Amino acid sequence: MGLESFAGPPRAAGARVTSLDWRPPAEGDSELALKLARLTAHPLVEAANAEALRRILDVTPLWTDVVTARDALPVLAGPDKALLHAGPPLAWAEMCGPMRAAVVGAVLLEGWASAPPEAERLAASGDIAFAPCHDHDAVGPMAGIISPSMPLLVVEDAASGRRAYSNLNEGGGRCLRYGALGADVMDRLRWMGERLAPSLRAALRSLPEPVDLRAVTAQALQMGDECHSRNTAASALLLRALAPALARQEALGGHEALDFLQDNTYWFLNFSMAAAKLATSAGHGVAHSTVVTTFARNGVDVGIRVSGGGDDWHRAPAAEVDGLYFPGYGPEDANPDIGDSAITEVYGLGGFALAAAPAIVGFVGGTPEGARATSRRMGLITVGRHRELRLPGLDFEGSPVGIDLRAVTDTGVEPVITTGIAHREPGIGQIGAGLTRAPMECFTRALRAFPEPPAP
Amino acid sequence: MVEPALKTPAPVNAVRPNTYVDSVALMRISGALTAFPHVEAASLVMGTPANRRILADAGLLADEGARARPNDLLIALRCPPGAIEEALAEVDRLLQKGWDGDAQAPPPGADEPPRSLATVPEGARLALISTPGPYAAAEALKALRRGMHVFVFSDNVPVAEEVLLKTEAHARGLLVMGPDCGTALLDGIPLGFANAVRRGRIGLIGASGTGLQQVSTLLHSYGAGVSQIIGVGGRDLSTEVAGTSMLDALDLLAADPDTDTIVLVSKPPAPEVARAVLARAAEAGKPVVAAFLGAAGEDVPGVRTAGTLREAARAAAGVTGEDSPDTASPAAGFGAGRRWLRALYAGGTFAYEAKQLLAGHEVATTATHGSSPQLPSGHCVLDLGDDAFTAGRPHPMIEPAVRTPWLAAALRDPSTAVVVVDVVLGHGGADNPAGAVARVVSAELGALRAAGAPPPVVLGFVVGTPEDPQDFHGQVRALREAGVVVLDSSTTVAETAADILAKIDGGAL
């Protein structure tokens, strides 16, 4: 590694020589590079990472229920007002436009205010506690606002009974999660609580057993989804599993639910996220493990958490999204990267499974070969491969999973994230989709803070 | 809200019935179309109610589009009427074309090279590291953790990091060669700067790259050969590093069935480290020759100490007879005032050896070199590869031209009696190192002769073998044709220079 001219003589003498595509590790911080070296091939770290990966892969995520947020999450049970949001913690005053709009929508939905200005005043007054979804076993796409009355889907690990939650997907177009506001948005949210959730709950409970989301994901990867930005196949598969039961719940809203789901190709995203949250949480807290267990964005900052690094967030400014825009919008309108949905990448989906989804590689002018190269490159920064979740584009290899903090900082390869783009102004909504990356800075910060195990 | 300008054209919609195109492909085409001449806005969507609503919100829905059905492709444009036809033709072309992708995508099957030692596939046995110094220790540590021996060419590695690396390597039964290691030849594989020497049964270990090159090429010239050449880095025999790598390498060669004789080479070591190394050498169970240049000769049973590189090579090869095979002396005297030696080395070890052989003469080892070289008024032995001379410049073994101004200054100085130059060949070195020397020497000596001035003596030696990638005999010939007196070794050259100085001092020249 270094001067390429040194490779020639040993090669000519018959040695097998590999030239490294080297660059200074850890963003060029030589002290940190040395810390990274001390963690390299460290037996305690290797064993801890194997254990974290085992815990992640051993989770079988089952969709078991639909519940109301206040009944599932103590933080939302009241009497004090609280809302959950995407990404690392931040205060109302720091929130980006789409997240503010989503807060306003949630306040209106809860009946804590009757008009947007009043809702903003309440949010600014300090009377609402804001907390990350991630701190309460939950995840929410884009703004990720979860309020007490919203229905949540419950995903449960068959073996451990561990649970994770996400809200229900509102579909495409104008949605609260993208910061769209208006009567149409509010009406749909109310309908989701009053009709969609009860009919889903009843339909799900009428099934002989819960829905195995990993099985759905595995099939969808064979059908062109990467289960973050593209959920077309998975949504159809999930709907197929539930449709007859939903049809039998006409009194509760089953037919309306079927109409709604027929149109919603993003429906599975929230299931994919909750399953990913469930599995990655299981991998969190293994001492000495450098496996990344959280990556989330609040539209201002992004942050990661590392299995053996405690519960601290390691942050960096949110990255721009490189993508395609809906008619009438362009990059100047885009909010920086936002949402908890990148938990799917942490679980080896999305950008890591891009080889499965040639249909979306066009978002950044890519090709199917480019998508395969992305999945292969993500394999450079993970500790392992999925057993069940396989990528047809990589000859059915398992999707790379378990982002290794060491590998990211060592190789300079940033995790690739497939994502939607929200308008930076409150109240407008989704304006495009594309690819972004988890910025190196949060990884170097995490490495700096990582507790160093005793020398081997 | 800004009112739409009056001249904004009305939206135009075209519908292609029953034409399904993936939404991402449609977004790509929409984007491409927006860049098309005269097109203000363009959007291609499937005609679902949701998409039609989005178009309406964007002011792009016309009557025809409003009637589109979900399986119809809806093309919405805003452009002057004259441009519509061309834009729609472009849509058809783009729909036909498929995805040509981007040029950055790697060709199918192209595997990226590994980016880190942490991900190099199992089985690699050694890492050669020539990164900038501040990163070298980290890379070396990774290699050790992966079970690889390490050759660190990089310099500017803090000594504390060198100690850390060598301690770790020792504990793992691995070898760290370097930092600042110039050469190695392991199982016939050359690393760094290494000469094409014959395989044989003499093993070399050295804290001096050019010293190892000189000894190994002399062995070659004597008909002997080497089993292994293990560089350990210039600081290995310092108090801090305590000879860790040399001791480990000694154990390796002591146990190596293909090594009969061991040669140790170093610039002056720390005395206590020299003692420890010699004590270990005495237990090697095979003959050991130790050339610790400038170190007080401390005899240890079973170890032959050698004062010069040539003596070390001869002792190891079993060459007997006259020890100064090829000394030469200028036939005639110098002009008045030619008194000083100017030894201008690319190899640092040669400077140490020369200083030792010039003991008794006062010799400067530093010189100022601002815009032009300033030679001291007195003898000087300069290591032009030293950090003091190479800051911001390449090493003279890689770029021989960096020595040119010094050589010219020495030859032009009327007080110069003797000039000494070294030329080092081998893998990794310059293509024609003698050429740069020969050009300057030839020109300057020619100018002196033309002026009728008696020239100084220019002594030189070429470290190399006829098998090296450079043409050894051609290099020697070029130097001789330029007027350089080419001798067999660094040792002989330094001895010859010392002889001349003694004659000058004695008034014989």
Side-chain angles (χ1 to χ4, degrees):
Chain A
M1 52 196 312
L3 295 173
E4 177 60 27
S5 61
F6 281 137
R11 188 176 284 137
R16 210 168 63 235
V17 179
T18 304
S19 291
L20 265 64
D21 181 15
W22 184 84
R23 65 218 64 213
E27 293 189 297
D29 178 337
S30 60
E31 284 293 313
L32 201 54
L34 207 55
K35 178 173 186 179
L36 176 60
R38 290 194 296 271
L39 294 173
T40 298
H42 192 302
L44 286 175
V45 178
E46 298 299 327
N49 285 351
E51 171 64 12
L53 181 66
R54 188 190 64 74
R55 293 186 190 182
I56 290 169
L57 296 186
D58 280 355
V59 166
T60 307
L62 303 178
W63 177 27
T64 55
D65 208 352
V66 175
V67 296
T68 304
R70 71 164 63 84
D71 298 333
L73 305 178
V75 65
L76 298 181
D80 296 334
K81 296 181 178 70
L83 292 176
L84 302 185
H85 64 77
L90 86 173
W92 164 259
E94 300 162 333
M95 286 179 185
C96 65
M99 188 176 279
R100 278 167 176 254
V103 166
V104 167
V107 167
L108 297 177
L109 183 72
E110 296 303 318
W112 297 338
S114 51
E118 186 191 348
E120 291 193 17
R121 275 196 301 279
L122 176 66
S125 71
D127 284 349
I128 302 174
F130 293 103
C133 295
H134 266 293
D135 286 354
H136 298 278
D137 300 320
V139 277
M142 302 312 285
I145 301 298
I146 296 177
S147 66
S149 71
M150 286 183 185
L152 299 181
L153 62 94
V154 183
V155 178
E156 195 167 314
D157 177 28
S160 67
R162 177 189 286 271
R163 289 175 150 208
Y165 306 90
S166 180
N167 47 7
L168 299 180
N169 193 284
E170 305 159 75
R174 291 169 42 75
C175 296
L176 187 73
R177 68 176 188 277
Y178 277 99
L181 278 176
D184 53 340
V185 175
M186 301 310 297
D187 287 348
R188 184 170 52 228
L189 286 173
R190 279 190 207 95
W191 171 81
M192 287 171 73
E194 290 162 9
R195 302 288 286 167
L196 177 62
S199 58
L200 273 178
R201 182 185 303 124
L204 180 63
R205 287 176 178 178
S206 76
L207 297 181
E209 49 193 47
V211 179
D212 182 344
L213 296 177
R214 188 169 57 191
V216 175
T217 304
Q219 289 177 72
L221 290 176
Q222 314 301 314
M223 298 165 71
D225 285 356
E226 37 69 270
C227 295
H228 179 176
S229 260
R230 182 175 166 109
N231 288 282
T232 309
S235 299
L237 290 169
L238 195 57
L239 177 58
R240 190 186 63 163
L242 213 62
L246 262 180
R248 285 190 282 268
Q249 303 298 334
E250 182 163 12
L252 293 171
H255 281 186
E256 297 157 45
L258 284 168
D259 283 337
F260 170 74
L261 294 179
Q262 181 207 358
D263 241 11
N264 189 346
T265 55
Y266 283 98
W267 175 240
F268 187 74
L269 170 62
N270 300 45
F271 293 85
S272 182
M273 288 170 59
K277 170 66 178 171
L278 185 70
T280 52
S281 311
H284 189 73
V286 179
H288 310 310
S289 170
T290 54
V291 169
V292 174
T293 48
T294 313
F295 171 63
R297 313 93 94 202
N298 62 31
V300 178
D301 279 346
V302 303
I304 66 166
R305 292 195 285 201
V306 179
S307 179
D311 289 337
D312 292 341
W313 292 88
H314 305 285
R315 300 178 182 228
E320 306 294 319
V321 182
D322 181 10
L324 292 174
Y325 290 85
F326 296 157
Y329 298 106
E332 65 282 359
D333 303 313
N335 198 77
D337 195 20
I338 182 170
D340 284 338
S341 57
I343 194 68
T344 55
E345 272 79 9
V346 179
Y347 186 50
L349 299 171
F352 288 63
L354 203 58
I360 65 161
V361 297
F363 277 130
V364 284
T367 59
E369 176 51 32
R372 289 194 287 276
T374 297
S375 283
R376 277 198 299 266
R377 197 162 60 250
M378 294 303 100
L380 295 177
I381 57 170
T382 55
V383 296
R385 299 274 177 164
H386 270 292
R387 294 186 295 247
E388 292 84 3
L389 308 183
R390 293 176 173 274
L391 305 179
L394 291 190
D395 295 338
F396 298 96
E397 273 183 61
S399 195
V401 61
I403 301 168
D404 186 349
L405 172 65
R406 299 173 305 171
V408 173
T409 50
D410 198 1
T411 60
V413 173
E414 294 171 320
V416 170
I417 315 292
T418 59
T419 193
I421 304 173
H423 199 288
R424 61 168 68 246
E425 305 288 336
I428 297 176
Q430 183 176 11
I431 58 170
L435 294 193
T436 185
R437 64 209 161 68
M440 187 57 61
E441 193 182 343
C442 49
F443 293 91
T444 48
R445 287 188 171 174
L447 178 62
R448 210 166 273 128
F450 190 77
E452 199 168 329
Chain B
M1 283 296 284
V2 178
E3 288 295 322
L6 282 177
K7 59 184 175 183
T8 297
V12 179
N13 289 174
V15 175
R16 304 281 151 83
N18 273 324
T19 305
Y20 174 78
V21 184
D22 180 274
S23 65
V24 178
L26 291 177
M27 286 169 81
R28 281 167 59 82
I29 295 172
S30 304
L33 212 59
T34 309
F36 203 67
H38 310 301
V39 174
E40 278 180 30
S43 181
L44 275 70
V45 292
M46 297 307 295
T48 62
N51 284 335
R52 282 182 272 129
R53 261 197 312 280
I54 290 172
L55 286 184
D57 289 349
L60 282 170
L61 193 68
D63 289 348
E64 188 168 9
R67 290 191 295 271
R69 302 170 46 79
N71 288 335
D72 298 344
L73 171 61
L74 201 171
I75 303 159
L77 298 170
R78 191 183 296 120
C79 62
I84 293 171
E85 195 177 328
E86 205 180 337
L88 288 176
E90 178 69 5
V91 169
D92 289 331
R93 197 185 68 80
L94 291 169
L95 283 171
Q96 280 291 319
K97 191 169 146 219
W99 297 3
D100 55 358
D102 64 342
Q104 292 164 1
D111 271 340
E112 296 186 37
R115 292 181 177 221
S116 162
L117 283 169
T119 56
V120 167
E122 293 289 333
R125 294 187 58 201
L126 179 139
L128 189 159
I129 294 165
S130 61
T131 65
Y135 305 109
E139 299 307 323
L141 182 55
K142 280 180 213 162
L144 293 172
R145 289 282 178 85
R146 294 290 316 277
M148 292 177 234
H149 302 289
V150 190
F151 180 103
V152 185
F153 181 81
S154 316
D155 56 6
N156 292 314
V157 175
V159 72
E161 293 179 1
E162 177 170 349
V163 171
L164 180 145
L165 289 176
K166 289 185 170 176
T167 307
E168 174 107 13
H170 178 77
R172 292 173 178 272
L174 296 169
L175 203 55
V176 172
M177 289 163 270
D180 201 12
C181 185
T183 188
L185 185 72
L186 306 172
D187 294 340
I189 307 296
L191 301 174
F193 300 113
N195 299 96
V197 294
R198 190 180 299 110
R199 294 298 293 275
R201 305 193 61 82
I202 302 172
L204 274 55
I205 307 168
S208 148
T210 45
L212 286 171
Q213 286 187 271
Q214 177 66 91
V215 173
S216 63
T217 52
L218 283 175
L219 289 173
H220 184 93
S221 74
Y222 302 154
V226 302
S227 54
Q228 308 285 349
I229 301 176
I230 303 173
V232 293
R235 280 189 314 220
D236 191 66
L237 273 62
S238 65
T239 303
E240 294 93 327
V241 187
T244 310
S245 286
M246 186 170 275
L247 291 169
D248 287 347
L250 244 176
D251 292 346
L252 283 175
L253 292 191
D256 176 20
D258 294 327
T259 299
D260 292 342
T261 302
I262 300 171
V263 181
L264 308 178
V265 182
S266 175
K267 299 175 201 177
E272 77 280 10
V273 179
R275 273 194 295 278
V277 171
L278 292 175
R280 183 77 62 90
E283 299 164 5
K286 44 185 87 167
V288 178
V289 179
F292 291 164
L293 304 177
E298 220 174 312
D299 279 334
V300 176
V303 181
R304 163 82 190 271
T305 53
T308 66
L309 298 171
R310 190 188 65 211
E311 186 190 343
R314 287 167 62 89
V319 176
T320 51
E322 176 56 45
D323 197 19
S324 295
D326 196 19
T327 50
S329 200
F334 300 110
R338 287 209 177 273
R339 304 177 55 200
W340 308 129
L341 167 70
R342 278 74 170 78
L344 306 172
Y345 289 111
T349 303
F350 306 139
Y352 281 100
E353 186 187 43
K355 271 181 288 176
Q356 191 197 341
L357 293 171
L358 289 161
H361 296 279
E362 198 172 314
V363 173
T365 54
T366 58
T368 52
H369 56 106
S371 52
S372 63
Q374 301 294 314
L375 293 165
S377 177
H379 302 309
C380 66
V381 173
L382 303 182
D383 170 11
L384 295 176
D386 189 84
D387 291 347
F389 296 97
T390 56
R393 267 170 272 191
H395 192 282
M397 274 170 63
I398 295 175
E399 178 45 72
V402 301
R403 181 158 57 181
T404 301
W406 291 91
L407 203 45
L411 290 164
R412 285 171 195 173
D413 183 345
S415 66
T416 298
V418 183
V419 174
V420 168
V421 289
D422 56 352
V423 166
V424 183
L425 308 184
H427 299 299
D431 289 341
N432 177 17
V437 174
R439 268 191 302 281
V440 182
V441 172
S442 173
E444 297 297 331
L445 293 187
L448 288 169
R449 279 191 211 98
V457 176
V458 183
L459 302 176
F461 59 98
V462 178
V463 177
T465 76
E467 280 71 46
D468 277 331
Q470 302 88 349
D471 171 13
F472 176 81
H473 296 298
Q475 294 281 297
V476 171
R477 194 165 53 243
L479 292 174
R480 287 195 167 133
E481 283 169 4
V484 180
V485 178
V486 180
L487 305 175
D488 72 314
S489 63
S490 60
T491 309
T492 309
V493 163
E495 284 171 351
T496 304
D499 279 354
I500 296 171
L501 297 191
K503 285 175 186 165
I504 293 171
D505 288 352
L509 280 171

